[in-house]
Every structure is written in structure tokens, then in C-alpha cells.
Amino acid sequence: EDQVTQSPEALRLQEGESSSLNCSYTVSGLRGLFWYRQDPGKGPEFLFTLYSAGEEKEKERLKATLTKKESFLHITAPKPEDSATYLCAAEDNNNDMRFGAGTRLTVKP
Amino acid sequence: NAGVTQTPKFQVLKTGQSMTLQCAQDMNHNSMYWYRQDPGMGLRLIYYSASEGTTDKGEVPNGYNVSRLNKREFSLRLESAAPSQTSVYFCASSPEGIYGYTFGSGTRLTVV
């Protein structure tokens, strides 16, 4: 069965302290790996799609990378406004999308 | 602003009552989805519609029904609400192909 596991569940950083969030996936034929940001009381907001191992995408202080078994969301010099829950999701060859439970990131000033 | 609009934002139901959650998108997307989000769990797919006139069950369809009214609108109905259906419900849409979803702002439903 397809599975997506995110770690850690929660992460507290000081402003400027870089770190990485992990997303491990087990799917039958990966079509795409997605990252979303979710603020409290709101719906997830799409950030990136990665299609193949070795691919990287960047947006401001965020960089997403992909290997054959996992994806990382690297956050460089985070600011308090980066505080949110970050979700990853994997779509398989049957067009089934599986979401992880998310990592709740808090960045303290 | 273009996007996905969900109504209502909050709802409290008594066990056994029925209700319909409404969703509309104005991006001309073919595919629409209903998810539920519970603490500590990932988003779980209830039903989806790959195109106007078609609907299919997702991972957790029991206790729900859906209607794809037209290309814009996709509604979710709870016929007889149960406390286990207390959750936050999200509607989403996407174009054809491998693209990220656009989500609505959610409906927080409590069944007492």
C-alpha cells in the first residue's frame, strides 16, 4: 500500500537557523511528489512539484529535492513568517494521491 | 480572486441530521476532490470527480455522497451525520496532468 511519512512531526527553529524537513514515500510508480504549505485555519497552498530523482526546485528560502525514496524541503535562514505546517504528497501511476500528516514548523524571532 | 470557494465555513450538526457542503471553482479545472483532515493524519480522499458527469470513491467514502453539478460545482452530502464525521473538509481542484491542487479554505464540521 502507498505510504507517505513526514518527519519530524514538529520543528522549532530560531530565526536564521537553517534546517530540513523529510518526506519518505513508498508508492507504486511515482508520477509526482508535491509540497504544500498550510497556515492555521486555511487550506493547503501548493508550493512545488518534483517529477524525477535528482530534481530540485526553489522558491525564496525554500528548496525541495527528490531521491528515489524521499524528498527534502530545505529552509535556509527562515523567518517567523515561514511558520506553518508543510505537507507532502505522492501521486502514483494509478493517479492516486497520498498525503503525509505534515510537519508543523515554528520559527521564533 | 480566482480559486476554490467552499460554504459554509463552520457547521454544527446533531447526530442523524443531514447537510450538503458546497464547492465551486472558477479556474476551468476538470478534476475536483473532497478531502477530510483529522489531527495527526494526512488528508484523506473521500470522493473525486475526474470530469463533469463522473464521480468515484476515494479512501473513506462511507457515509458520504457527492454530486458534480456542472464543471464548476462539486457538492458533498452527509445523509445521516455521525460523531466520527467531525472533521475539517477541504474541496480541491486541478487541471489535467500532473499538477498541484488548488484547495478551498475548508469547512469545520462538528457532529454532536
Side-chain angles (χ1 to χ4, degrees):
Chain A
E1 182 181 302
D2 293 352
Q3 195 165 358
V4 176
T5 303
Q6 291 188 246
S7 61
E9 290 186 15
L11 180 63
R12 295 170 66 92
L13 299 174
Q14 287 297 127
E15 183 172 2
E17 180 187 2
S18 301
S19 188
S20 297
L21 282 56
N22 177 265
C23 172
S24 298
Y25 63 91
T26 306
V27 299
S28 53
L30 181 73
R31 292 187 77 211
L33 189 292
F34 303 83
W35 283 97
Y36 292 83
R37 170 190 171 126
Q38 186 174 22
D39 292 301
K42 296 190 176 181
E45 177 185 350
F46 170 71
L47 292 173
F48 305 109
T49 307
L50 302 167
Y51 297 100
S52 58
E55 189 176 0
E56 299 183 353
K57 289 200 175 165
E58 289 188 64
K59 179 180 181 180
E60 297 180 358
R61 294 176 292 283
L62 302 177
K63 183 170 78 172
T65 62
L66 182 66
T67 72
K68 287 187 177 180
K69 293 185 178 180
E70 55 193 350
S71 177
F72 293 94
L73 186 65
H74 306 278
I75 304 176
T76 302
K79 297 182 177 182
E81 53 262 42
D82 294 321
S83 297
T85 296
Y86 291 86
L87 306 175
C88 75
E91 182 175 354
D92 67 16
N93 281 339
N94 295 317
N95 300 328
D96 290 330
M97 183 81 75
R98 181 77 60 169
F99 281 82
T103 293
R104 187 173 66 254
L105 174 67
T106 304
V107 182
K108 293 292 189 182
Chain B
N1 290 337
V4 177
T5 303
Q6 290 185 237
T7 56
K9 293 190 182 300
F10 302 93
Q11 185 72 48
V12 179
L13 291 179
K14 293 183 179 179
T15 298
Q17 287 185 320
S18 62
M19 79 162 295
T20 300
L21 281 63
Q22 306 287 353
C23 175
Q25 54 93 6
D26 58 4
M27 296 168 287
N28 202 37
H29 288 170
N30 284 327
S31 301
M32 297 186 74
Y33 314 84
W34 276 106
Y35 282 89
R36 61 178 289 171
Q37 187 175 42
D38 301 292
M41 305 182 75
L43 288 157
R44 291 183 293 167
L45 182 64
I46 305 170
Y47 271 93
Y48 68 99
S49 171
S51 62
E52 185 179 353
T54 68
T55 61
D56 286 289
K57 295 178 180 179
E59 182 184 356
V60 289
N62 291 344
Y64 306 95
N65 283 300
V66 291
S67 296
R68 183 75 183 264
L69 305 171
N70 47 56
K71 192 169 186 179
R72 291 186 64 247
E73 298 173 287
F74 189 38
S75 63
L76 178 71
R77 183 162 179 81
L78 286 71
E79 291 291 351
S80 178
S84 60
Q85 293 178 306
T86 293
S87 188
V88 182
Y89 291 85
F90 288 101
C91 178
S93 70
S94 71
E96 283 191 59
I98 312 170
Y99 296 99
Y101 296 171
T102 301
F103 283 85
S105 58
T107 295
R108 185 172 296 273
L109 175 67
T110 302
V111 182
V112 298

